[in-house]
Every structure is written in C-alpha cells, then in structure tokens.
Amino acid sequence: MTFTSSKPTSDGMSARSWALILLLGAIWGASFFFARIAIAEMPPLTLVFYRVAIAAMALHVYLAATGISCRPITDRAGQFLILATLNNVIPFSLIFIGQTALGAGLAAVLNATTPFWTIIIANMLTDDERISWNKIAGIAAGVGGTAIMIGPGLLADLGGPAWAKFAILGATVSYAFAVIYAKRFKDVAPAATAAGQLTASCVIMLPLVLVVDGTASLFSASLPVWSAVMALALVSTALAYILYFTLISTVGATNASLVTLVVPVSAILLGALFLAERLELYELAGMALIGLGLVVTDGRLFKRRKEK
C-alpha cells in the first residue's frame, strides 16, 4: 500500500512551513525540561497517560469551541488506535523509559535520527517521497551537528546501557512509521486528528497504567511535577500535534520529521535563555551544521544556483 501527500515536497518548503517547523521544534525542545521534572516523581507509563489524557481533554474542548466536527474520530476509530500506538504509546513509553538510564544528550542525538528512518520507510511505502542525495546529505549533517552540539556531554553518555539506547532508537522507528501512516488523515482537520490520536492513546494507556503502576502513583506527585505535566500536555502535546499534523498534510512525512533536528537546538537555547546556561563554541558550531543540513535537505538554494 502506498500513500500520497497533499502537496509535492521536491521543490522545497515555504517560509510558513519552515516557521512551523522551528516553532514546533522549540515546543518539543521544551518538553525535555518538563519531562525531566516530571519523571523524577512519576513512573514513565503514568506520565505518558497523563500527558495524552490532559491533552485529549483540552483538544476536545477546543473542537467544541471552534465547531470542528468530531465525526472523523468515531468513524475512523480503528485507524486512530493504530496511529496512537505508533505515534504516542510506543515512542512516549520507550523514550521515557530510556531517559531513566541515559543522559539527555545521547537521547537527543538518537532521537535526531528519526528523519533517516522516515526517508527509508517513506521510500518503501509511498509513491511521492523518494530518497534523494540532498536529503541524505542534509539529514546526515543535521545528525552530525546534533552530536557536535552535545559536545563533551555526549562522550559521558556513551557508556549507558544498550537496552536504553535501543529503546530510544525503537521510538524513532515508531515515529517514522507513524508519520507515514498519518498521511491518510490529510482530509481531517489537524486539531481533530490530534484529538482522535490522543483519545485513542488514553484508551490504550489507562489499563496499562493500572496493571503496571497501580493507582498509588496516580495522585502522589508534588505541585511542581503537576505543573510540568500540565505544560507537557497542553503545550508540548495538544498544541504541538496540531502543528505537526498541519505540517504532514502540507509538506509530507520526511520534511515534517526534520523537526527532530531542531528540537535539541531549541532545548539548548531555552536553557541559555531561562536557566542562564552558557553557550559554548562547539554548541554554536553544531547549530550551524544543523542549519546547513536543513538548507541542504530543502534543496531550493542549490537548485536556484544551478538554474542561474
């Protein structure tokens, strides 16, 4: 089975699409801060459940307030269960579990490989997103830039357990399949797609949490942790997925997955802005290489130079 996108992506993305990618990258970069606070007191599966449940409730309120129909959610419940499994349940759980044993630096680098898996899977399963040399080179530069940006902290993280590394990589592969599968929802409003996915995630996660974590962990967190959970759910999940599904419907799966290259940049910049963390020269060099990778992946600049 193959999927098609609503707009060809070979001619590069518009300024609006790039702005959405940068905004989404900043929002998901902040999620590392929220998760770091929450995971200290809340079990990973419980955190996943609260993240998707609060976000789902917020999105249903938004749909009701804006008059967007919920009909696609009930009509395509089975498809939303598949999307929820691939895009929320599996990757969220694997990432939170992996973060219990890995440093944030290595986790960010492994997560940045998502576009690699996406372009490979898209080449096999779609008829409009083929592997090209500029995409491979651009993504490689982006992942390399991420590794450079992490710097000495990455070397310290390399000794983490193999199972934790494979957990993060498993999450990236799941994300890649999810972004391809999500193309079938291009006829559904992005907010409704996000609400359907997160609602289905709640249905899956609730029994898992009750069996694995029990009820004791559901209400035992402190106020700072609850504040982090709310920010993670409302900003880094509800709002983020509206932007994410908007991108998939306009620029395609591979281009939408490029946001994972922006996430570590935003995480470091947020640390410098709000936590007074000093920006090192190697971090700036890594950011520059990521920026170059995004330009190469887009391809328009080189195409225009060739035409001239």
Side-chain angles (χ1 to χ4, degrees):
M1 180 180 293
T2 58
F3 305 98
T4 57
S5 62
S6 58
K7 185 181 293 185
T9 60
S10 58
D11 294 329
M13 291 185 286
S14 67
R16 177 178 179 273
S17 296
W18 277 115
L20 286 178
I21 284 180
L22 295 176
L23 175 59
L24 183 56
I27 291 173
W28 273 340
S31 70
F32 283 92
F33 290 97
F34 304 142
R36 192 183 311 165
I37 295 171
I39 203 70
E41 295 183 20
M42 192 171 287
L45 293 182
T46 299
L47 178 56
V48 173
F49 170 71
Y50 275 124
R51 179 178 184 177
V52 298
I54 295 171
M57 288 187 287
L59 283 170
H60 279 287
V61 171
Y62 175 78
L63 293 181
T66 56
I68 298 175
S69 175
C70 294
R71 182 68 181 271
I73 298 176
T74 54
D75 288 349
R76 301 165 73 169
Q79 293 180 357
F80 276 115
L81 284 171
I82 296 173
L83 181 63
T85 301
L86 292 173
N87 211 28
N88 290 158
V89 177
I90 291 176
F92 284 1
S93 301
L94 290 177
I95 287 174
F96 288 154
I97 291 170
Q99 282 185 308
T100 63
L102 288 183
L106 182 56
V109 173
L110 294 175
N111 189 58
T113 64
T114 298
F116 266 127
W117 305 113
T118 303
I119 194 173
I120 292 171
I121 295 170
N123 187 71
M124 294 187 297
L125 299 182
T126 71
D127 57 8
D128 62 336
E129 295 194 46
R130 298 303 183 186
I131 291 178
S132 62
W133 287 111
N134 70 290
K135 287 184 177 181
I136 294 175
I139 293 170
V143 176
T146 303
I148 291 172
M149 188 175 59
I150 303 304
L154 179 60
L155 296 177
D157 291 341
L158 290 178
W163 65 262
K165 298 171 186 175
F166 279 114
I168 303 293
L169 285 175
T172 65
V173 174
S174 186
Y175 276 138
F177 276 106
V179 74
I180 300 299
Y181 190 79
K183 295 173 70 172
R184 66 175 57 204
F185 297 94
K186 63 185 180 181
D187 59 326
V188 180
T193 303
Q197 170 193 263
L198 293 166
T199 301
S201 296
C202 294
V203 174
I204 298 171
M205 287 305 304
L206 181 57
L208 285 176
V209 168
L210 294 177
V211 171
V212 177
D213 295 336
T215 58
S217 63
L218 290 176
F219 309 104
S220 60
S222 63
L223 182 59
V225 167
W226 281 117
S227 298
V229 171
M230 292 299 292
L232 185 64
L234 297 178
V235 180
S236 298
T237 307
L239 174 60
Y241 273 115
I242 293 177
L243 300 178
Y244 180 67
F245 288 120
T246 299
L247 278 169
I248 291 174
S249 66
T250 55
V251 302
T254 302
N255 286 333
S257 70
L258 294 176
V259 70
T260 58
L261 299 178
V262 181
V263 169
V265 176
S266 66
I268 288 178
L269 290 178
L270 287 169
L273 288 173
F274 296 106
L275 300 178
E277 295 176 350
R278 180 182 175 183
L279 279 175
E280 302 291 345
L281 183 60
Y282 63 81
E283 292 174 329
L284 295 175
M287 292 179 191
L289 187 55
I290 290 173
L292 175 62
L294 294 174
V295 171
V296 172
T297 303
D298 182 58
R300 277 184 298 178
L301 179 62
F302 300 99
K303 184 177 180 180
R304 289 172 182 172
R305 289 175 62 89
K306 185 176 180 180
E307 290 175 349
K308 288 181 180 180

